[in-house]
Amino acid sequence: MTEHSGGESPSARRARSRSGGGAHDAANPTPSDGPSVRVELPPAPPREAPDDELAVAIDEVSVDPGSIGSQAPVSTAVGLVASGGAYRGARRESTAAAGSAEPGGAAAGAAVDAGAGGIVSVALADVDSLAVASLEAPPPESADELTAERLIEETRATQPAPRGGLNRAVYEATLHLVNLGDSAKVREQDALNARIRRRFEGGARFVPVLTRKGGVGKTTVTTLLGMALADARDDRIVAIDANPDRGTLAERVDRQTRETVRDVVAKSTSIGGYTDFSRFVSRDETRLDILASDTDPTLSEAFDDVDYEIVAGLAARYYSIVLTDCGTGIVHSVMRATLQRADSVVIVSGGSVDEARLASETLTWLEANGFGALVRNAVVAINLATQGTHLVKVDEIEAHFQSRVREIVRIPYDPQLAAGSVVRWRQLRPVTRQAARELAALVVEGMPVERD
């Protein structure tokens, strides 16, 4: 509805309204104004913030200015909590109401708490698909991670020449123009070496080699295992002959000293470094050190668990892996001290019925005496050089042990091992060396990488 005031034209009133005069006149009418109309509108509704603003809105927290100088510096902690869903608003929550939850059992939105000491904690909840682990920085890499394979990009100029086999022949025949790389067999050997060379942290690892029956090849297996480890690794490996009945481990290498475990015990206080300890051991071509047992049976009986602890403690200072040839039987005094230090065990079985049964009984004895974890982590070496192997089903023996231990390895017959004399690693049959290397890799894989 349109009304006219006085003699003022409509165009004049519109001009006055645009300049603000209309609003002033409506609030303060003058006597010259004519009749007017005043429209009463309802109050504007309060503004509702959209969800995206509520998600980041944080109420102010009052701070007493008088307490700033007397309290510790104020710190602010912001935590992101992954509980599914999306941002659903913001709310302020006091310490007393911190345990309250919205329907559905999960707190929603942002929570602000002012705790004692002026510490303000802000938690943003219900973040969809937020992985807490993704906020953690990856652990720092060690220097061992900087390998040539990782840092050097292989090109024709940097790719190494093939090692042996047909690929090497092609490389030479083409005047180094065609480089097919290493053969699959060479790459398999490299992978096996990498398994054997795995690094450890936290001291030496102990591996006893044992069984209940003598004559099944414990000393032979100890020798092969030690040589395979020493040949592939660049740290020190030692094999200790702890046989109380005059062991023959030192006779498997060219003996360079007449010192024995008994001499180590007697002179332990004078051993201050590896140079001192090395006078008591013999070393073979693979760099395996062997500490002999006493050759006098009457003295060997005196070698007990206390003596073994002295020898093992010294060996742990200077070697990464300590093998122990436990000798005949499992009930002598040295056995428990050996097993208490063990990180893994190797059980030796022959290829005959009674040898396999006694090896299985060794596992049962270990379980009955509190060493069940060692049984589950054990490796069984089946020595196929013993008598009667060709008459039994070795597959059945292996199937039996597969139900009880972690891994099984067959040690094939080798004329050099059958002679019972010095073992030359390079002169062993390739299949024998391969079996020993596989045994070494399996043993290393069963050892803990880190230990306090």
Side-chain angles (χ1 to χ4, degrees), residues 257-259 267 270-271 274-281:
T257 179
R258 307 308 299 178
E259 304 283 1
K267 303 174 184 178
S270 64
I271 299 176
Y274 174 72
T275 302
D276 298 330
F277 192 89
S278 63
R279 298 199 307 265
F280 299 90
V281 300

Side-chain angles (χ1 to χ4, degrees), residues 1 6 14-15 64 87 101 115 138 145 169 206 217 288 344 373 400:
M1 175 173 137
R14 284 195 298 269
D64 183 6
Y87 286 101
E145 301 292 334
F206 284 79
L288 170 66
S344 180
H400 167 77

